[in-house]
Amino acid sequence: MKTITLGRTGIKTTIAGLGCGGFSRIGLEKYGQAHAARIARRAYDLGIRFFDTATAYGTEAAVGEGLAGLPRDSYHISTKYPIWNEWRENYAKRFNETLDESLRLLKTDYIDVYNIHAVSKADYNDVRDMLVPEMKKAQERGKIRFLGVTEGFVSDTAHEMFDIALDDDVFDVIMTGYNIMNPSAAKKVLPRAIKNNVGVLCMFAVRHALANPPQMKADIQKILDNNQGGPGLEAAESALDFLTKPDADGLQVAKSIMDAAYRFCAHTQGVHVTLTGTSSEKHLAANIDSIASTKLPHDALEKLEQLFGLSDCVSGQ
């Protein structure tokens, strides 16, 4: 699998990463920890070297189990600190206890990218002033290598938090929502990340709307209601069929809408790691193949820009 350098971190890792949250949580809730651990190990066997989890997902132990016994320098771990439930109270103690528990569950002495999870614009200044100093202390102790922050894309589809965070430039890595139906990060986030050589993790490449036609139709209607739809966009379950419909020569742009969605993200300038999550080994292999595949044709990209280029009001969730 193709590798990249994750911005100024210097980390060399794969363009595909295993996302251990989302609806599937790598099968933890439906099938249990042993299954989730097998998904993590299978991802490694298929070439993935970047694993993203979080305290809130409950999958840290499964990732630790799945990667146990492998050379620690052969893969990279990203996990996240939650800022909910009155986190400002005893914040230093809470932060350090949570970090230590993550290290224990992940069976490691250090975390490559430690993120503050789903930070809103309203919480950002307090996160920067209160938690970033704690992150830097942990960095000095060798418990984390690089500082990261993720946005709450479901509620912050227009990336308002990053308007501030990218100006401050205190984080080495960011995680942003980006997909076919809301490509706004390509204009609002990625150019500034490129300028500062910030590592970018892409989440929400595929979410419910792209796998569920009625939800896609509802999201498109929301885009239209917000006057963000381009010429030719209609609220129809067939709106993206042009990506999979054979042409006169029997050729298709993509094998599926999901295939197109992963390729769309993986080949966007400024995106380093595209995350994929699933509870199925079969789907995992297919998703990795898509991320590792070729860029979408120019005319398909132009049409997607025409239809969704102004959209920033949906997440796909």
Side-chain angles (χ1 to χ4, degrees), residues 68-207:
L70 296 169
R72 181 60 183 87
D73 61 358
S74 71
Y75 60 87
H76 303 98
I77 290 178
S78 162
T79 192
K80 310 180 191 74
Y81 176 79
I83 54 164
W84 305 293
N85 302 324
E86 306 299 330
W87 69 269
R88 292 169 179 82
E89 296 181 7
N90 300 314
Y91 67 90
K93 183 174 184 288
R94 288 188 181 197
F95 176 86
N96 286 287
E97 288 178 349
T98 303
L99 171 58
D100 285 345
E101 179 66 359
S102 292
L103 290 166
R104 185 186 71 80
L105 294 173
L106 289 163
K107 303 181 188 296
T108 183
D109 296 327
Y110 66 91
I111 291 164
D112 296 284
V113 181
Y114 197 57
N115 305 273
I116 307 301
H117 196 172
V119 179
S120 68
K121 182 179 180 180
D123 284 333
Y124 176 78
N125 285 342
D126 283 348
V127 165
R128 177 196 61 204
D129 297 342
M130 299 166 72
L131 294 183
V132 168
E134 297 303 318
M135 297 176 85
K136 290 183 176 179
K137 291 175 187 176
Q139 189 178 40
E140 291 172 359
R141 294 193 295 269
K143 292 185 176 184
I144 63 177
R145 296 180 63 197
F146 299 102
L147 281 59
V149 64
T150 80
E151 65 184 354
F153 187 52
V154 172
S155 57
D156 186 10
T157 57
H159 317 286
E160 292 183 355
M161 184 272 290
F162 282 135
D163 283 342
I164 310 171
L166 288 168
D167 282 344
D168 283 345
D169 196 27
V170 298
F171 293 98
D172 305 302
V173 179
I174 64 170
M175 184 182 294
T176 187
Y178 177 66
N179 57 48
I180 283 174
M181 296 177 69
N182 181 349
S184 59
K187 298 180 178 72
K188 298 182 178 182
V189 176
L190 299 182
R192 297 163 71 189
I194 292 169
K195 181 181 178 181
N196 295 335
N197 198 20
V198 171
V200 175
L201 312 177
C202 172
M203 61 177 171
F204 283 74
V206 173
R207 271 303 203 266

Side-chain angles (χ1 to χ4, degrees), residues 193-300:
I194 292 169
K195 181 181 178 181
N196 295 335
N197 198 20
V198 171
V200 175
L201 312 177
C202 172
M203 61 177 171
F204 283 74
V206 173
R207 271 303 203 266
H208 193 57
L210 292 181
N212 185 283
Q215 183 61 50
M216 180 178 70
K217 181 179 178 180
D219 276 14
I220 292 175
Q221 187 61 57
K222 183 175 181 179
I223 292 169
L224 294 171
D225 290 345
N226 280 272
N227 297 314
Q228 294 180 354
L233 183 65
E234 297 179 353
E237 295 181 7
S238 60
L240 293 174
D241 282 359
F242 72 93
L243 293 169
T244 57
K245 186 177 180 180
D247 63 16
D249 297 320
L251 301 176
Q252 296 171 271
V253 170
K255 293 179 288 187
S256 66
I257 291 174
M258 281 68 74
D259 174 60
Y262 281 121
R263 291 164 62 190
F264 175 82
C265 294
H267 287 278
T268 297
Q269 185 180 12
V271 169
H272 294 106
V273 177
T274 299
L275 299 170
T276 179
T278 180
S279 61
S280 162
E281 292 188 22
K282 180 180 178 181
H283 290 161
L284 175 63
N287 295 346
I288 291 172
D289 284 346
S290 294
I291 293 171
S293 188
T294 57
K295 186 176 182 177
L296 292 177
H298 180 70
D299 57 347

